[in-house]
Amino acid sequence: CHAVAEAMQMGLEEAGMPRTAVSLIEDTTRVSANELMTAEGFVDLLIPRGGKGLIRSCVEHATVPCIQTGTGICHVYADKAADLEMAVRIMDNAKTSRPSVCNAQEVCLVHKDIAARFLPMLKEALCDRLAEGNQPVELRLDAEAAEFIEGTAAKETDFDTEFLDYILSVKVTDSLEDAIEHINRHSTGHSEAIVTADEKAAAQFAA
């Protein structure tokens, strides 16, 4: 945080603007947070980023304008045209680097055409991690995914849950359209991703 703030301040100075336009508050206590939430005349807008407790506290106690950020049921879809090793690396990072944040991956969707090859790779990367001293991920599998790897049987509610933990729901989809339909039905609209080398599929997903 210090390095980012310092870089932004240097950029402001080079642009002829006051470096104090960006400030880093180093006191992260609850008292400091409450003072920020009620700093009328000083804070124009507060956008809390963090867990449910922080967001709820801001909504309940802020006297300055506050945008309530929601939960993140975030999906990563491995398309049939995906680079499988790239998809594994992306999902490993999206799930395990900081599993308790709102933009962490909670659902893996994988096209049926690559499921037999991709899911064992994903399991090896996320679950067989004890030898490296890493926290293994619990995979909650739909019936189709369970045909290829071992894991916990997924309940329907698992695809509507923000775990904020080393847990990942996994679903095999019949098509890109099937993946998009699932996301539109279950997503909280926070962050979604596709891994594909097919530009048309990427454009359709983004649209």
Side-chain angles (χ1 to χ4, degrees):
C1 289
H2 287 87
V4 172
E6 178 65 24
M8 294 176 71
Q9 289 170 342
M10 290 172 60
L12 287 168
E13 282 187 326
E14 291 177 8
M17 300 175 67
R19 65 181 288 125
T20 52
V22 170
S23 300
L24 177 65
I25 299 174
E26 299 188 44
D27 179 0
T28 58
T29 63
R30 196 174 296 267
V31 172
S32 173
N34 288 337
E35 288 183 1
L36 187 64
M37 295 178 204
T38 56
E40 297 177 55
F42 297 97
V43 174
D44 297 315
L45 179 64
L46 188 63
I47 306 175
R49 289 293 308 276
K52 293 180 182 178
L54 171 66
I55 294 169
R56 184 173 59 252
S57 179
C58 288
V59 171
E60 292 176 354
H61 300 110
T63 59
V64 300
C66 176
I67 293 178
Q68 180 178 356
T69 54
T71 56
I73 300 176
C74 305
H75 301 73
V76 180
Y77 167 58
D79 184 48
K80 64 180 179 180
D83 177 321
L84 301 191
E85 291 185 0
M86 177 189 292
V88 168
R89 291 195 304 271
I90 288 171
M91 292 191 191
D92 187 6
N93 179 272
K95 179 72 259 181
T96 68
S97 60
R98 293 184 67 198
S100 63
V101 297
C102 55
N103 62 335
Q105 179 187 6
E106 301 292 12
V107 180
C108 161
L109 301 175
V110 56
H111 193 285
K112 65 179 182 180
D113 288 359
I114 62 167
R117 290 177 292 141
F118 177 71
L119 289 176
M121 294 170 62
L122 184 71
K123 181 179 182 297
E124 181 180 4
L126 298 187
C127 304
D128 305 333
R129 300 159 57 90
L130 291 174
E132 296 138 22
N134 295 319
Q135 174 73 37
V137 175
E138 176 188 345
L139 300 181
R140 298 193 178 175
L141 312 174
D142 78 343
E144 289 78 10
E147 294 178 7
F148 303 108
I149 56 174
E150 294 181 353
T152 304
K155 299 176 291 187
E156 185 60 32
T157 55
D158 287 333
F159 293 98
D160 293 299
T161 300
E162 184 183 33
F163 297 112
L164 303 176
D165 200 352
Y166 290 92
I167 302 170
L168 182 67
S169 296
V170 181
K171 177 179 176 60
V172 175
T173 66
D174 291 333
S175 63
L176 169 64
E177 291 75 17
D178 186 25
I180 291 170
E181 192 277 331
H182 177 92
I183 291 171
N184 287 338
R185 189 167 72 252
H186 295 277
S187 171
T188 56
H190 193 295
S191 302
E192 317 298 347
I194 182 174
V195 185
T196 186
D198 183 336
E199 292 186 8
K200 289 184 178 179
Q204 184 177 346
F205 185 92

